[in-house]
Amino acid sequence: MSDTFVGAPAAPAASAQAFRTCPTTGLKVHRQADALIKANAVVATVALLVGGISAILVLLTRWQAVHLLDATMFYRVLTIHGMNMLIFFILFFEMAVLYFASAVLLNCRVPTPKVAWTAFVLMVAGALLVEWTMFTGRADVLFTSYVPLRAHPAFYGGVILFAVGAILVTCIFFATLVVAKRERTYEGSVPLVTFGALTAAIIALITLAHGAAIYIPTFFWSLGKMNVDPEVYRLIWWGLGHSSQQINVAAMVAIWYLLGALTVGAVVVNEKISRTAFVLYILFISMASAHHLLVDPGFGPAWKVVNTSYFMYMAVLASMLHGFTVPAGTELGMRLRGFTQGIFGWLRRAPWGDPGFSSMALSVVIFGFLGGITGVTFGTEQINIIAHNTLRIPGHFHATVVGGTALAFMGITYYVIPLIFRKQVAFYRLAQIQPYLFGIGMTVFSMAMTFAGTFGVPRRHWDITFANAPFDVPFSPAVDLMIGIMAAGGLVAALGGAIYILVTVWSVFFGKALPEGDLSRASVPPGVYRVPARELPTEEVELREYGRLGVMPGTMILVFIFLVAFVVYYFANWKLLSFVWKVG
Amino acid sequence: MYAPGTTPPQGVWWKPAHRSEKIWFTIAFVWCMILFAMMPFWHLRGGQNPSGTRSTVEPTAFAERVQEFIDTYQVGEDNGIPLVEPPPGSDIYLQARMWSWTPVLRLRAGAEYTLHLSSLDVNHGFNLFPFNVNFQVVPGYDYALRVTPTEAGEFQIVCNEFCGVGHHLMVGKVIVVPADAPAAEGGDR
C-alpha cells in the first residue's frame, strides 16, 4: 500500500502509477479522483465552518432574549449563512460525491483531470467573489436576491462562475460513465449508488441551467443594461433555488444506500423499484419549485396545482418508496447476516455506535417524519396560505437539508476519512456522539421553529417584538417559549457541527495514518475492517415470513407509523386553514 | 441472492417486487392521489384559495388607484396613516412600500371585499396577524383577492418578505367592526 502522493500528474489511462488499490474494498482508485475528492471535501468543510458560525450569529439574534446583531449585520450574516450552507457547502460536497460515485465505484479514471481542476478553480473563484461581496456589504439581498433588491454585479458574476464550474463537473461525471463502460472497468449495470448520483447529476444540470437563465440577465440588470421582471425572476430563480435542494435529496438517498451497504451490509431489495423511484425524481421533482409561488400573483390555480403536486405527487411517491426500501434493505441485510431475532431484533442489534450508521438512521427519520411530511403539507396550494414565509418554512427545510442531507454527508465522511484520506478518525469517541447531538439538536430546532411559525412568526426577520413599528404585534407567550426551545436545539446542533469540523479537520491534517494490515485496533468505524457486505450469504437463503407483515416486518411497521403521522398532520392543517378568513 | 447498492448488478435486474413492496407501493400511490384530489376539492368546497384575479399594473398606476381609494373613503387617521372605511362589496386597496402599509382599513365582519395588493418598490409579504394568512406582494402585479373577515377586532399586517433594513418596521393594521343590523343580512356567518 503506497499512499504518499501529491497531486499526481495526469498519467495515461492504463498506467499502474495512476491508480492505487484500496486495501479495504479492493477498488482501484484513480489518484486524480482521490485528489479531486479531497480538494472538494476540504473546501466544503471550510464553507460549512463559515456557514456554521453565521448560523450561530443568526440564531442568537432571532432569540429575542439575546438579540445579538443589529439589523444590517443580521441580514448580511443571514445572506452569508444561506449562500455558504445551501450553495457552497452542499455543492462542493456533492462534487466530491460525483467523483466518488463515478470514478471510484466504477474503478475508472477521471477522463479529463485538467478540465476537472479548471472546474474546481472556477467554483472556488466564483465562491470567493460572492464571499467578498457579501462580507463587504455589497450584497445584503439574502440567499434569494429577489429583483429588484440590488447587489453588486460581482455577486451575480460569482454565482455564474461557480455554476459554470459545477456544470463542468457534472459533464465530467457523465463522461466518466461513458469511459468506464467503454473501457469495461466494471461488469453488469452501474451500481444503485452510482445510479442515484446520476440522478443527482441530471437534476443538477436542470438546476444549473435555471441558474444561468436567471443570473445572466440579472447580472446585466445590475449593470443597468436590461430589465428583469420581479415575478419572472421568482419563477426562474426557484428553478435554481428549490431544484438545488432536489440535487441534495437524490444525493442523500444515494448516500443512504451507500452508508447502508458500508455499515450493515444493507442490500437492494429490488433494483427495479429503487431505480424507478430515482427516475421519478428526474421526471417530476423539479416541478416543486412551484412551492414558493403558491400565493404569488403571477400564476393561476391550475398551474399551481399541477406543479406543486409534482404532477400528481409522483416525486412524493418516489420518496415514499426510498423511505421503504432503505430501511427494508437494512433489515434484510441484517437478517441475512444472522440477526433474525423477532421483529425488531435487527434494529436493536444494529451498530448504533458506528457514526456512519447512526447518521443514516437519524437522517432517514428526520428527513421523512419532519422534513417530508411538513414539505408536502406546506406545498399544498391552499395550506401554503398559512405557511408561506413564516418560520414553518425554515423549520421544514432545516429538517430536510440539515437533519437529512447534511447529516447523511457527515455520516459518509467518517468512512471517507479512512477509505479516501487513509487516515484514522481523530477523537473517535466524540465522532460517535456527534450524529446524535447534531440530529437531536436539529430535530428540536426544526420542530420548535415550525411550531412558532404556526403562530405567524415571519421568517427572515430581525425583530419580532417590532420595537419601533407603528402598531404592536402581540405574539402569544407560546412563541417566546418556542423560540427559546429553538435556540437551545440550535445550539446543541451547532455543537454537533463544531465537533464534526474538529474531527474532520484534525483527522485530515494532523491525524494518524492508517496502520498496515489489521485495522480493528485503529480508530475507524467498524465497517472499515469488518466489512459487513462480505458476511452476506453467497447463496439463496430462505427468509422467514412474519404472517401478513412479510419478510421485512420491522420496516412494514415503521412505514405504517410514518403514514399515520403523515395523514394526521396533513388533515390537521386543512382544519387549521378552515378557521381563517374566507379568501379566494 | 441479494447484493448491496455498491455492487454492479449482473444480468437482468428487472425482477418482480416483494409482496411487501407491492403493498407499500399501492398504499403510497393511493395516498398520493388523495393528496392531489384535495386541492381541486378545496377549490370547489373550501373557503380559502389563493386564486384571486391577477393582473399586471405599473407601480405608479397602482399608487394613483390607492390615492383615489383613500380620497374617496377616508374617515380619519391612525398613527399618521390614513384610515379608510369602504362600503361592503367594494374594491379595496393596500399598498406596500419600504417600509409601510397604506392605508389602515376598517372593514365589516361577514362582508366580502376585493382586496388589491401590490408593491411600489421591492417584493413584500402580506401576513395577517394573528390569523396567519400569507400572500406574496410583487411589484408590477395586482393580486386581487376576495376576502371576508370572520370576526370583529384589530388585526395587524406584518411584512414577511425581506425588503431591506427597515423590514421589521413594516406593520399595518386592519380594524374589523361587527356587522350592524342592515349589513347583517349580507353576512353569511
Side-chain angles (χ1 to χ4, degrees):
Chain A
M1 184 180 83
S2 66
D3 48 44
T4 48
F5 57 88
V6 181
S15 155
Q17 282 293 311
F19 289 88
R20 68 177 174 86
T21 303
C22 174
T24 312
T25 57
L27 287 166
K28 258 171 58 188
V29 182
H30 189 217
R31 293 185 190 284
Q32 286 289 344
D34 235 352
L36 284 160
I37 290 170
K38 288 181 183 180
N40 280 286
V42 167
V43 179
T45 308
V46 173
L48 180 67
L49 179 64
V50 177
I53 292 169
S54 51
I56 295 170
L57 295 174
V58 168
L59 183 71
L60 290 180
T61 308
R62 284 229 60 158
W63 188 12
Q64 295 278 164
V66 179
H67 209 54
L68 184 67
L69 302 176
D70 66 32
T72 305
M73 280 309 286
F74 172 74
Y75 295 119
R76 187 167 302 163
V77 171
L78 187 55
T79 310
I80 292 167
H81 173 63
M83 289 303 288
N84 276 284
M85 290 305 208
L86 286 173
I87 297 289
F88 302 143
F89 158 61
I90 291 270
L91 277 165
F92 274 113
F93 205 100
E94 274 158 1
M95 298 302 119
V97 170
L98 289 184
Y99 288 118
F100 176 81
S102 58
V104 176
L105 279 185
L106 299 179
N107 293 302
C108 186
R109 64 197 171 90
V110 175
T112 51
K114 277 183 191 153
V115 180
W117 286 108
T118 309
F120 176 73
V121 170
L122 276 177
M123 287 176 72
V124 171
L128 287 175
L129 213 52
V130 172
E131 301 282 10
W132 170 72
T133 57
M134 292 190 302
F135 274 93
T136 54
R138 289 172 168 85
D140 294 339
V141 289
L142 299 195
F143 173 58
T144 45
S145 57
Y146 288 136
V147 164
L149 287 175
R150 195 183 292 264
H152 191 280
F155 174 79
Y156 309 108
V159 177
I160 294 166
L161 280 185
F162 180 86
V164 170
I167 288 173
L168 283 176
V169 179
T170 49
C171 292
I172 292 168
F173 172 83
F174 299 132
T176 313
L177 295 190
V178 173
V179 169
K181 189 89 190 160
R182 188 173 296 160
E183 296 181 356
R184 296 174 190 281
T185 61
Y186 66 98
E187 298 271 329
S189 306
V190 293
L192 181 61
V193 172
T194 307
F195 196 83
L198 173 62
T199 304
I202 292 171
I203 297 172
L205 217 51
I206 298 169
T207 302
L208 294 163
H210 282 93
I214 196 58
Y215 273 108
I216 292 170
T218 307
F219 172 71
F220 286 108
W221 166 80
S222 71
L223 293 170
K225 305 278 187 209
M226 66 181 284
N227 272 326
V228 175
D229 182 273
E231 189 67 83
V232 172
Y233 178 91
R234 281 173 60 76
L235 172 66
I236 304 176
W237 190 88
W238 279 113
L240 167 78
H242 202 98
S243 305
S244 58
Q245 309 319 311
Q246 316 295 13
I247 314 172
N248 301 342
V249 172
M252 173 191 70
V253 174
I255 285 179
W256 286 349
Y257 285 113
L258 177 59
L259 276 172
L262 290 171
T263 59
V264 291
V267 295
V268 182
V269 180
N270 186 297
E271 295 277 357
K272 174 177 75 176
I273 295 281
S274 294
R275 286 174 197 236
T276 305
F278 276 124
V279 172
L280 288 176
Y281 276 161
I282 298 172
L283 295 178
F284 299 110
I285 207 166
S286 298
M287 297 169 84
S289 312
H291 286 180
H292 301 268
L293 309 169
L294 294 176
V295 292
D296 266 42
F299 316 93
W303 186 91
K304 286 174 180 174
V305 167
V306 169
N307 282 282
T308 197
S309 68
Y310 322 79
F311 197 77
M312 302 173 93
Y313 290 100
M314 287 301 115
V316 173
L317 180 64
S319 284
M320 287 176 80
L321 289 177
H322 287 304
F324 178 89
T325 58
V326 169
T330 302
E331 175 167 7
L332 213 51
M334 290 292 282
R335 286 183 184 278
L336 287 167
R337 287 169 55 236
F339 300 94
T340 50
Q341 209 182 26
I343 289 178
F344 284 112
W346 61 278
L347 202 55
R348 273 199 303 278
R349 303 281 302 276
W352 294 98
D354 177 341
F357 180 80
S358 56
S359 296
M360 178 198 70
L362 288 167
S363 169
V364 171
V365 171
I366 297 171
F367 182 87
F369 276 84
L370 300 183
I373 291 176
T374 55
V376 173
T377 306
F378 303 162
T380 304
E381 190 204 6
Q382 294 91 348
I383 294 175
N384 194 251
I385 293 173
I386 54 169
H388 180 72
N389 272 356
T390 67
L391 274 186
R392 301 183 94 184
I393 304 303
H396 148 71
F397 71 70
H398 279 86
T400 55
V401 183
V402 191
T405 306
L407 186 52
F409 286 3
M410 288 171 172
I412 196 64
T413 309
Y414 298 118
Y415 277 81
V416 168
I417 291 169
L419 295 179
I420 300 290
F421 286 91
R422 311 302 302 165
K423 297 279 182 130
Q424 302 192 36
V425 177
F427 312 112
Y428 187 64
R429 293 256 173 252
L430 280 179
Q432 284 181 302
I433 59 163
Q434 187 272 333
Y436 293 98
L437 283 177
F438 193 76
I440 293 167
M442 242 22 247
T443 302
V444 172
F445 173 86
S446 293
M447 289 180 83
M449 201 180 213
T450 308
F451 197 62
T454 54
F455 292 91
V457 177
R459 66 186 288 200
R460 300 171 146 189
H461 203 283
W462 175 63
D463 180 20
I464 58 162
T465 65
F466 303 93
N468 293 312
F471 306 108
D472 275 344
V473 184
F475 278 118
S476 150
V479 167
D480 288 334
L481 179 67
M482 281 306 130
I483 299 275
I485 295 174
M486 175 187 106
L491 290 174
V492 171
L495 178 65
I499 291 175
Y500 169 80
I501 292 174
L502 172 74
V503 168
T504 50
V505 170
W506 200 276
S507 307
V508 167
F509 292 104
F510 315 105
K512 281 188 269 184
L514 283 188
E516 300 273 347
D518 181 24
L519 293 177
S520 61
R521 297 191 165 222
S523 63
V524 290
V528 173
Y529 50 85
R530 195 185 156 197
V531 182
R534 290 194 192 138
E535 296 172 0
L536 288 170
T538 48
E539 275 148 40
E540 215 65 62
V541 181
E542 189 73 28
L543 290 160
R544 184 177 154 197
E545 289 265 352
Y546 285 77
R548 305 181 70 162
L549 293 173
V551 293
M552 296 159 280
T555 303
M556 280 309 260
I557 291 174
L558 293 177
V559 293
F560 275 103
I561 295 172
F562 170 79
L563 187 68
V564 169
F566 199 164
V567 172
V568 168
Y569 190 78
Y570 181 72
F571 284 110
N573 271 275
W574 281 110
K575 189 75 193 162
L576 214 55
L577 177 70
S578 71
F579 293 140
V580 306
W581 285 15
K582 279 221 171 96
V583 57
Chain B
M1 216 192 87
Y2 293 100
T6 44
T7 319
Q10 306 299 312
V12 177
W13 44 258
W14 191 267
K15 291 177 185 154
H18 269 273
R19 193 167 58 90
S20 330
E21 279 183 307
K22 284 181 185 160
I23 294 170
W24 179 245
F25 174 86
T26 310
I27 292 170
F29 185 81
V30 170
W31 175 235
C32 287
M33 292 306 113
I34 295 172
L35 290 175
F36 183 73
M38 275 307 289
M39 291 188 284
F41 169 77
W42 204 262
H43 273 286
L44 294 174
R45 292 297 186 83
Q48 296 81 14
N49 288 289
S51 314
T53 316
R54 304 160 310 278
S55 52
T56 53
V57 62
E58 281 299 314
T60 47
F62 190 79
E64 280 167 24
R65 288 180 209 173
V66 173
Q67 194 52 52
E68 197 189 319
F69 171 64
I70 292 170
D71 292 343
T72 316
Y73 299 118
Q74 182 162 7
V75 293
E77 266 195 9
D78 192 342
N79 239 332
I81 303 167
L83 171 67
V84 296
E85 185 168 356
S90 61
D91 281 54
I92 59 177
Y93 291 83
L94 189 63
Q95 163 191 301
R97 68 184 304 175
M98 291 170 170
W99 291 289
S100 63
W101 297 98
T102 316
V104 173
L105 298 165
R106 185 189 282 164
L107 308 177
R108 235 160 254 281
E112 189 184 272
Y113 301 85
T114 304
L115 171 65
H116 293 261
L117 292 168
S118 192
S119 160
L120 302 191
D121 37 46
V122 298
N123 274 271
H124 295 283
F126 172 93
N127 169 291
L128 182 71
F129 177 86
F131 288 106
N132 196 16
V133 173
N134 302 277
F135 290 100
Q136 188 77 19
V137 185
V138 182
Y141 289 80
D142 178 357
Y143 205 170
L145 295 152
R146 290 189 312 278
V147 297
T148 311
T150 47
E151 61 190 87
E154 281 196 7
F155 308 104
Q156 285 74 30
I157 301 162
V158 175
C159 179
N160 67 9
E161 183 61 79
F162 171 67
C163 56
V165 74
H167 177 37
H168 61 283
L169 300 174
M170 196 166 158
V171 179
K173 188 159 136 185
V174 180
I175 301 159
V176 179
V177 295
D180 56 19
E185 47 116 18
D188 57 1
R189 273 198 72 190

